[in-house]
């Protein structure tokens, strides 16, 4: 559940989601669930000529299983906190 | 992925799925501790009865009214059409009711009327778009062939994937 919580802390931030079919979508993170399905608002496709079907879409739901990368805003990520949380989680699972 | 950590392991057996409070909770602590099985689809429950665009793993695009979803993102689409894009033209093929198995879903997009009107895409007849698609496909095949030929001459093998590459998903 660590990454779920991590993504929840990024809600409202602008992210770029790169899919396994090479489609890259930039948008504001609206919500996330336990499968890391993402919901984005105000989306922009990086290469609209190649993917014309996305031109009429503003908000979208992306299935977690088709996501390759999520590019995050660097200054919004507290890596120290993330590291501590990882340690805490590993301690928990050992018990 | 290890469970536990932020949410307790036995939090699943909480009775009521809080699907109605899903859309607006950004910092709802209650929700964070209650990973009920319905959370996965709760997001999509807001989208029910709306006209949605669905992109499938094989690259096809369906548009239909979303009637039902579950936690795997299995979908029922009502009055579905398959939309084919070639260049800045598109054509719709009527398909009726569609049940899409969740693992084939790439994304679901809410169709925005304003954005749809402002895009300069042209709607054409089914036959026209099918012909255009065939032409595009043939062009692609010829290009691939030339490329593999050129690479072969330089002593490199080139595997071109025709159809779905499941490794990509």
């Amino acid at each position: 559940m660590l990454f779920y919580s991590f993504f929840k802390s990024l809600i409202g931030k602008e992210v770029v989601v790169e899919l396994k079919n090479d489609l890259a979508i930039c948008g504001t993170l609206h919500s996330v669930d336990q499968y890391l399905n993402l919901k984005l608002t105000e989306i922009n496709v990086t290469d609209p000529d190649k993917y014309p079907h996305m031109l009429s879409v503003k908000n979208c739901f992306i299935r977690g299983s088709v996501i390759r990368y999520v590019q995050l805003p660097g200054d919004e990520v507290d890596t120290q906190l993330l590291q501590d949380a990882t340690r805490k989680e590993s301690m928990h699972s050992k018990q | 992925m290890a469970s536990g950590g932020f949410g307790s392991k036995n939090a699943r057996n909480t009775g009521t799925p809080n699907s109605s409070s899903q859309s607006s909770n950004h910092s709802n602590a209650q929700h964070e501790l209650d990973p009920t099985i319905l959370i996965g689809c709760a997001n999509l429950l807001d989208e029910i009865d709306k006209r949605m665009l669905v992109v499938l793993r094989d690259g096809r695009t369906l548009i239909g009214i979303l009637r039902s979803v579950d936690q795997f993102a299995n979908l029922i689409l009502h009055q579905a059409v398959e939309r084919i894009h070639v260049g800045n033209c598109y054509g719709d093929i009527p398909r009726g009711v569609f049940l899409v198995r969740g693992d084939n879903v790439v994304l679901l997009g809410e169709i925005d009327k304003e954005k749809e009107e402002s895009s300069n895409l042209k709607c054409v007849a089914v036959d026209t778009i099918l012909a255009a698609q065939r032409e595009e496909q043939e062009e692609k095949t010829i290009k691939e062939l030339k490329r593999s030929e050129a690479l072969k001459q330089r002593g490199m093998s080139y595997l071109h994937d025709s159809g779905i590459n499941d490794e990509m998903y």
Side-chain angles (χ1 to χ4, degrees):
Chain A
M1 287 315 237
L2 181 77
F3 279 89
Y4 169 52
S5 310
F6 173 61
F7 273 111
K8 274 185 79 92
S9 73
L10 289 167
I11 279 170
K13 308 284 192 300
E14 186 126 315
V15 294
V16 181
V17 180
E18 210 178 301
L19 307 186
K20 291 179 190 171
N21 62 0
D22 293 330
L23 176 60
I25 304 168
C26 176
T28 311
L29 190 62
H30 175 274
S31 51
V32 61
D33 64 30
Q34 90 260 37
Y35 305 109
L36 306 187
N37 296 329
L38 305 180
K39 226 171 158 185
L40 301 181
T41 55
E42 304 291 331
I43 62 158
N44 273 310
V45 175
T46 331
D47 189 1
D49 293 335
K50 216 173 141 196
Y51 303 98
H53 49 265
M54 295 305 289
L55 283 173
S56 54
V57 177
K58 197 162 133 192
N59 306 330
C60 75
F61 167 96
I62 305 171
R63 201 175 134 99
S65 64
V66 303
I67 296 173
R68 186 182 286 143
Y69 302 120
V70 182
Q71 297 173 29
L72 311 166
D75 44 342
E76 304 285 354
V77 181
D78 187 348
T79 44
Q80 202 60 51
L81 186 72
L82 191 61
Q83 209 169 4
D84 291 346
T86 311
R87 290 212 182 87
K88 230 182 256 173
E89 176 142 308
S90 88
M91 292 281 278
H92 253 274
S93 56
K94 265 179 203 164
Q95 278 168 14
Chain B
M1 191 170 91
S3 58
F6 279 70
S8 72
K9 269 182 184 169
N10 55 359
R12 235 160 236 249
N13 54 10
T14 47
T16 49
N18 54 350
S19 55
S20 56
S21 62
Q22 269 304 295
S23 57
S24 56
N25 62 3
H26 281 182
S27 56
N28 190 343
Q30 177 76 20
H31 167 218
E32 204 157 322
L33 294 169
D34 276 352
T36 48
I37 204 75
L38 261 175
I39 285 177
C41 73
N43 280 331
L44 282 175
L45 289 178
D46 303 334
E47 255 65 64
I48 270 176
D49 290 340
K50 283 186 191 160
R51 205 167 164 72
M52 302 294 286
L53 177 144
V54 182
V55 179
L56 302 180
R57 268 182 3 167
D58 62 359
R60 279 195 246 191
T61 307
L62 299 173
I63 293 175
I65 303 165
L66 189 66
R67 291 300 189 197
S68 182
V69 289
D70 67 5
Q71 76 268 35
F72 307 109
N74 293 323
L75 313 169
I76 303 278
L77 291 173
H78 184 212
Q79 296 175 354
V81 294
E82 183 180 337
R83 182 163 287 187
I84 296 171
H85 286 273
V86 179
N88 61 353
C89 298
Y90 68 85
D92 289 341
I93 306 168
R95 294 290 194 204
V97 179
F98 242 89
L99 192 155
V100 185
R101 197 181 141 89
D103 52 1
N104 296 297
V105 174
V106 172
L107 66 85
L108 279 118
E110 195 181 320
I111 295 179
D112 190 68
K113 280 264 159 60
E114 274 172 39
K115 267 189 120 177
E116 194 177 26
E117 279 159 19
S118 66
S119 70
N120 53 357
L121 297 176
K122 223 169 50 206
C123 183
V124 296
V126 177
D127 297 339
T128 321
I129 203 71
L130 283 174
Q133 192 190 33
R134 206 173 310 125
E135 219 166 88
E136 190 189 50
Q137 195 59 45
E138 274 163 18
E139 252 171 55
K140 223 181 195 171
T141 319
I142 292 169
K143 227 165 141 186
E144 291 276 310
L145 237 107
K146 274 186 185 160
R147 180 180 290 172
S148 71
E149 199 60 41
L151 281 166
K152 219 172 174 183
Q153 280 171 7
R154 288 163 179 77
M156 284 177 277
S157 70
Y158 174 68
L159 292 166
H160 87 106
D161 54 322
S162 52
I164 317 166
N165 185 355
D166 259 330
E167 295 252 304
M168 280 178 38
Y169 295 94

